[in-house]
């Protein structure tokens, strides 16, 4: 396990290639983080869910693009994984708390 973490924490040799791993992780991880953040935003905007769904629907593509760019520009594969896992965990906990209120 520690050997695998050392392999993932090594930065790429060439900064010109993003790599297939980071590309797929940035697309799907960015999508996951964007949807969770927009769902959290629906709960935080005052009003009913039907009224407050317009803003997250409009912002979802922008947030997805920014998140995917942020993930793909990670220094190593491990930091790219952490850039997906940590916001997903935070937004999931926030959704669980806000859903139960």
């Amino acid at each position: 396990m520690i050997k695998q973490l050392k392999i993932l924490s090594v930065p790429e040799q060439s900064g010109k290639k993003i790599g297939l791993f980071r590309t797929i992780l940035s697309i799907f991880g960015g999508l996951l983080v964007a949807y969770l953040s927009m769902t959290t935003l629906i709960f935080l905007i005052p009003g009913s869910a039907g009224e407050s769904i317009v803003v997250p629907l409009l912002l979802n593509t922008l947030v997805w693009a920014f998140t995917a760019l942020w993930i793909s520009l990670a220094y190593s594969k491990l930091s790219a994984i952490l850039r997906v896992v940590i916001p997903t965990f935070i937004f999931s906990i926030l959704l669980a708390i806000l859903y139960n209120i």
Side-chain angles (χ1 to χ4, degrees), residues 76-96:
S76 66
K77 291 179 184 178
L78 181 63
S79 62
I81 292 171
L82 290 176
R83 286 183 182 192
V84 172
V85 171
I86 292 172
T88 301
F89 185 70
I90 290 170
F91 285 126
S92 298
I93 289 175
L94 279 174
L95 278 173

Side-chain angles (χ1 to χ4, degrees), residues 11 25 40 42 58:
L25 190 69
T40 306
I42 288 173
L58 295 175

Side-chain angles (χ1 to χ4, degrees), residues 10-65:
V10 174
E12 299 284 332
Q13 293 291 335
S14 172
K16 295 179 182 179
K17 293 183 180 180
I18 293 176
L20 183 64
F21 177 77
R22 260 191 271 185
T23 303
I24 291 174
L25 190 69
S26 67
I27 291 171
F28 292 113
L31 181 66
L32 179 67
V33 172
Y35 274 124
L36 285 174
S37 65
M38 292 300 114
T39 307
T40 306
L41 189 62
I42 288 173
F43 281 108
L44 295 177
I45 294 175
S48 67
E51 296 171 354
S52 62
I53 202 165
V54 175
V55 174
L57 279 175
L58 295 175
L59 288 177
N60 190 32
T61 53
L62 181 69
V63 172
W64 184 12

